[in-house]
Amino acid sequence: MRILVVNPNTTASMTARIGAAARAAAAPGTEVEAVNPAMGPASIEGYYDEAFAVPGLLEEIGRGEATGVDGHVIACFDDTGLEAARSLARAPVVGIGEAAFHMASLIAGRFTVVTTLARSVPAIEHNLMKYGLAARCARVRAAEVPVLALEDAASDARRRIAGVIEQAKDEDGAEAIVLGCAGMADLAAALSSAHGLPVVDGVASAVKLVEGLAALGLRTSKTLGYATPRPKRYTGLLDRFAPR
Ligand SMILES: O=C(O)C[C@H]1NC(=O)NC1=O
């Protein structure tokens, strides 16, 4: 089985860490290819970055489809471009946010999401409502850690995340923690051990869900919302993205 993991931002070191986390979760027979677009934002922190990450993301999804991958993971916690990617793909496409929310819901009554910056919180709250899982989320908290600080071993990111986890336990009644950034993927096991509750990483969750979907032969439905885009002209810089 081959799974494409796309980091929609353009920071290669983050893509490498995401790929390592994905491979650590993958089953022995699963090959993981981790990529990021050549164009777009270095990190995604809010709606504006998210918008400009989508074209590059979709280009990578299209390449994966052309090589016949068995499934795709969108490795950005906002689930950047998820619906558009599903419209382009026939293989299943799973976002790490949606995956983590579902996995946390299977092991805990209520969970708290710990993400990077406060500006990223509303998009995550919107996704929880869109997915019908808002009732299971006690709160979405920000550790006030820029995404790329997670790439800097000298930053206080880990300490900040740990402090917010303790707040979530004390104040939210959180029975599990969901890590709200792909760049936190390699922290899940250590944080779970240090804080004494399940800590869910979306990268690993999405890999296992794609493996399951592919094993069951479940592919993206093309009947309505995710129907293949109708051929039409796109003008200017976006010409190459026009549905043919
Ligand atoms: O929204 C966030 O802060 C997290 C999100 N941004 C990013 O570049 N990769 C992510 O997982």
Side-chain angles (χ1 to χ4, degrees):
M1 181 182 300
R2 284 195 311 125
I3 297 177
L4 179 71
V5 176
V6 187
N7 168 19
N9 75 39
T10 52
T11 298
S13 61
M14 193 166 161
T15 304
R17 285 196 307 116
I18 289 166
R23 290 184 189 97
T30 298
E31 178 191 338
V32 170
E33 183 185 1
V35 299
N36 62 257
M39 63 177 179
S43 66
I44 298 165
E45 296 169 327
Y47 296 120
Y48 190 84
D49 293 340
E50 187 178 352
F52 286 96
V54 173
L57 163 80
L58 294 176
E59 208 155 43
E60 296 305 326
I61 297 286
R63 291 193 181 110
E65 284 290 301
T67 63
V69 297
D70 296 286
H72 308 266
V73 168
I74 296 177
C76 178
F77 198 78
D78 300 359
D79 296 338
T80 306
L82 180 59
E83 288 86 357
R86 286 178 176 161
S87 303
L88 185 60
R90 292 191 176 280
V93 185
V94 175
I96 67 170
E98 188 173 19
F101 299 151
H102 282 289
M103 290 300 208
S105 298
L106 297 174
I107 57 166
R110 297 197 5 108
F111 58 84
T112 287
V113 176
V114 178
T115 191
T116 54
L117 297 172
R119 64 179 55 212
S120 295
V121 169
I124 295 168
E125 290 173 337
H126 290 166
N127 283 351
L128 281 158
M129 287 184 276
K130 181 165 60 173
Y131 304 148
L133 289 169
R136 303 296 298 276
C137 180
R139 187 167 172 184
V140 181
R141 288 179 176 266
E144 285 316 311
V145 169
V147 169
L148 297 185
L150 292 160
E151 297 300 294
D152 174 5
S155 80
D156 65 351
R158 171 84 180 266
R159 182 183 62 76
R160 287 176 168 272
I161 293 166
V164 174
I165 290 175
E166 285 303 312
Q167 279 184 295
K169 286 166 62 179
D170 295 345
E171 301 169 21
D172 304 345
E175 299 162 90
I177 297 295
V178 168
L179 294 179
C181 180
M184 297 177 185
D186 53 353
L187 302 177
L191 288 169
S192 180
S193 171
H195 296 279
L197 81 172
V199 174
V200 179
D201 152 49
V203 173
S205 299
V207 167
K208 302 317 280 186
L209 287 173
V210 168
E211 284 181 336
L213 290 167
L216 294 172
L218 292 173
R219 295 163 63 82
T220 301
S221 172
K222 309 306 285 181
T223 59
L224 291 176
Y226 300 143
T228 301
R230 294 178 62 246
K232 65 189 63 162
R233 189 162 47 85
Y234 284 14
T235 59
L237 284 176
L238 297 178
D239 171 63
R240 76 174 192 261
F241 293 95
R244 306 288 182 209

